[in-house]
Amino acid sequence: MATQTHTVTGMTCSHCVNSVSAEAGAIPGVTDVTDVQVDLASGTVTVTSDQPVDETAVAAAVDEAGYELAR
């Protein structure tokens, strides 16, 4: 298992958390909804995958949800 944590900018509510969770859950290798943990208070998303987590895929998923990774 591979795990990565990223900071997401712009999240302000539970809808934001749900959007990021849903999009990150569709990343190849993420097999279960519990493999994505979004923490609104810290502004982070942690993705666990059965293969190495591609940061570009995480960034694209977060972008699709309407937010972006902090650089």
Side-chain angles (χ1 to χ4, degrees), residues 6-30:
H6 303 277
T7 301
V8 179
T9 60
M11 293 190 305
T12 59
C13 64
S14 62
H15 178 271
C16 303
V17 170
N18 293 337
S19 295
V20 171
S21 294
E23 292 298 334
I27 295 171
V30 177

Side-chain angles (χ1 to χ4, degrees), residues 4-13 16-17 20 37-46 68-70:
Q4 284 188 1
T5 299
H6 303 277
T7 301
V8 179
T9 60
M11 293 190 305
T12 59
C13 64
C16 303
V17 170
V20 171
Q37 300 296 316
V38 180
D39 184 345
L40 182 60
S42 66
T44 59
V45 59
T46 301
E68 61 183 46
L69 294 185

Side-chain angles (χ1 to χ4, degrees), residues 24-55:
I27 295 171
V30 177
T31 58
D32 189 77
V33 70
T34 61
D35 291 341
V36 178
Q37 300 296 316
V38 180
D39 184 345
L40 182 60
S42 66
T44 59
V45 59
T46 301
V47 180
T48 302
S49 175
D50 62 2
Q51 56 191 324
V53 180
D54 179 15
E55 183 175 345

